[in-house]
Amino acid sequence: MTAHHLKLNPSKTELLFIPSTTGPHCDLTISFGNSLIAPTEDARSLGVILDGQLSFSAHIANLTRSCRFLLYNIRRIRPFLSQEATQLLVQSLVISRLDYCNSLLAGLPLRAIRPLQLVQNAAARLIFNLPKFTHVTPLLRSLHWLPVVARIRFKTLMLAYKAKNGPAPPYLMAMVKSRAVPRALRASSTARLEPPSLRTHGRQVSRLFSVLAPRWYQNWPPVRAVSELMNQTTVLLRLPTRQTHCKLLRLLQYKQLGVPTIQDKEKTKGRRKRKKMKKKNEKEDEEENRKMPKKKKYEFRRRRRRKKKKEEEEEEEERRKEKKEEEEEEEERRKKKKKKK
């Protein structure tokens, strides 16, 4: 510290103890000058609030609070702004906060990241000035925004790519190792990463960058496939509108990151509705058959058949009437033509 002409401020220093899962928990105190520094539950470092379990619950709560306050202030002046101006404000004030150090949230469960996704949804609705319960996925696609989970994964993959190929700090390059292939294979051209050999205790999943980055990098399409997709999409730049090109590129990103599209959701909804209707009809038929005795069952079936026959006869009569009307109209036309001649 003295070599770099730095000095610690005891009033601003914080001590955070992060225990291991297997090690014992102990209370530590450090004497610094005339004061004692005791460990705290939360500590702030470069704008990120860290806790002992690295759950980042306090950081997510603080981030959502500040973003909600900013959205509230922007909403107050929204009637005086255009859509482009509000988009610039939201991206510079809210989305930049969501993207700051979001790679630390990699591996967290979805219930922990849900508040951030709700903030992004509220920001998209504010840009288009829509009510609270509007559908969000078409808005995110029109703005070309990825969901929060996909943003976190994209940031970790970008860091892994830079650590492997591009400029990156040495501590990140030491965490990532390229897979060594003993002989020439197809996998040698895909530029995969070598995952570390770790033992998992029960259902616990590691959140280390050295574990998650190679796993996600392997699920990502290889560099050869990405280059082929980009070569195929460059032809779309010659189209008269640029919107089609942007939409297709966004669809490719959604498919690669595993985000469900609107068509997939509509298909699943239609299947669920059909299954529910079938189950309801089957239950109603079973209840009717159970309640009715045998004689009434036969009568009920006969009535159904008679109704079907009547409906078919009525349809045939309507068809015949239509044919007769058409024939009469044709005869009238012929007579008129003869009279004119």
Side-chain angles (χ1 to χ4, degrees), residues 156-168:
T156 53
L157 289 170
M158 184 180 68
L159 292 173
Y161 181 79
K162 286 184 177 181
K164 184 180 178 297
N165 299 316

Side-chain angles (χ1 to χ4, degrees), residues 28-284:
L28 297 174
T29 56
I30 297 173
S31 62
F32 183 72
N34 295 325
S35 62
L36 292 173
I37 299 172
T40 59
E41 295 181 355
D42 301 327
R44 187 184 291 274
S45 177
L46 297 174
V48 179
I49 300 172
L50 303 171
D51 55 353
Q53 298 178 355
L54 294 178
S55 62
F56 294 98
S57 59
H59 174 67
I60 291 168
N62 187 17
L63 183 60
T64 52
R65 196 182 302 115
S66 62
C67 290
R68 292 282 184 187
F69 179 71
L70 291 168
L71 290 173
Y72 172 73
N73 289 329
I74 295 167
R75 189 176 287 280
R76 293 175 69 183
I77 60 172
R78 178 66 181 85
F80 308 102
L81 297 173
S82 63
Q83 185 175 341
E84 295 177 355
T86 52
Q87 186 175 354
L88 287 173
L89 278 174
V90 169
Q91 286 179 353
S92 60
L93 296 175
V94 179
I95 302 300
S96 61
R97 290 172 184 266
L98 294 177
D99 290 337
Y100 178 71
C101 292
N102 61 352
S103 60
L104 295 172
L105 306 177
L108 286 176
L110 294 175
R111 66 176 179 274
I113 302 170
R114 182 171 172 75
L116 302 179
Q117 185 61 50
L118 293 175
V119 169
Q120 190 185 23
N121 296 343
R125 293 190 186 100
L126 183 98
I127 290 169
F128 292 98
N129 200 8
L130 293 172
K132 185 177 180 181
F133 297 102
T134 54
H135 195 49
V136 179
T137 50
L139 304 180
L140 295 176
R141 285 182 181 177
S142 62
L143 293 169
H144 303 290
W145 287 359
L146 289 172
V148 176
V149 179
R151 283 174 179 272
I152 293 166
R153 185 171 288 190
F154 178 76
K155 182 66 73 65
T156 53
L157 289 170
M158 184 180 68
L159 292 173
Y161 181 79
K162 286 184 177 181
K164 184 180 178 297
N165 299 316
Y171 63 89
L172 281 178
M173 295 175 72
M175 293 180 185
V176 174
K177 294 180 182 179
S178 59
R179 181 182 290 178
V181 183
R183 59 183 185 278
L185 296 171
R186 290 182 181 177
S188 60
S189 63
T190 56
R192 300 289 182 178
L193 297 177
E194 185 178 359
S197 60
L198 293 175
R199 294 181 180 179
T200 58
H201 300 283
R203 295 183 179 179
Q204 188 177 2
V205 181
S206 180
R207 288 172 51 201
L208 295 172
F209 176 79
S210 59
V211 177
L212 289 176
R215 189 184 299 167
W216 291 347
Y217 200 84
Q218 287 175 3
N219 293 329
W220 189 262
V223 178
R224 183 179 59 191
V226 172
S227 62
E228 289 175 359
L229 287 171
M230 293 302 293
N231 290 328
Q232 290 175 3
T233 53
T234 50
V235 181
L236 298 172
L237 288 169
R238 299 177 183 176
L239 292 172
T241 58
R242 191 182 173 187
Q243 293 179 357
T244 54
H245 176 64
C246 295
K247 286 179 181 179
L248 289 170
L249 288 176
R250 186 57 55 184
L251 286 170
L252 289 172
Q253 290 179 0
Y254 273 101
K255 287 181 181 178
Q256 289 168 3
L257 293 169
V259 180
T261 59
I262 295 173
Q263 294 177 355
D264 298 334
K265 290 181 179 179
E266 288 178 354
K267 287 180 182 178
T268 53
K269 285 181 181 178
R271 290 172 185 172
R272 288 173 185 173
K273 286 181 180 179
R274 289 170 188 171
K275 286 181 180 178
K276 287 180 180 179
M277 291 296 289
K278 284 182 181 180
K279 287 180 180 180
K280 285 182 181 179
N281 293 327
E282 288 176 358
K283 287 180 180 179
E284 288 177 358

Side-chain angles (χ1 to χ4, degrees), residues 292-314:
M292 290 182 182
K294 289 184 179 180
K295 292 181 180 179
K296 290 185 178 180
K297 283 181 184 178
Y298 291 122
E299 291 178 357
F300 185 70
R301 290 175 184 173
R302 288 174 185 173
R303 289 175 184 173
R304 280 185 178 177
R305 290 174 186 173
R306 289 173 185 173
K307 285 182 181 179
K308 287 181 181 179
K309 286 181 179 179
K310 286 182 181 179
E311 289 176 356
E312 290 176 356
E313 289 176 355
E314 289 177 355

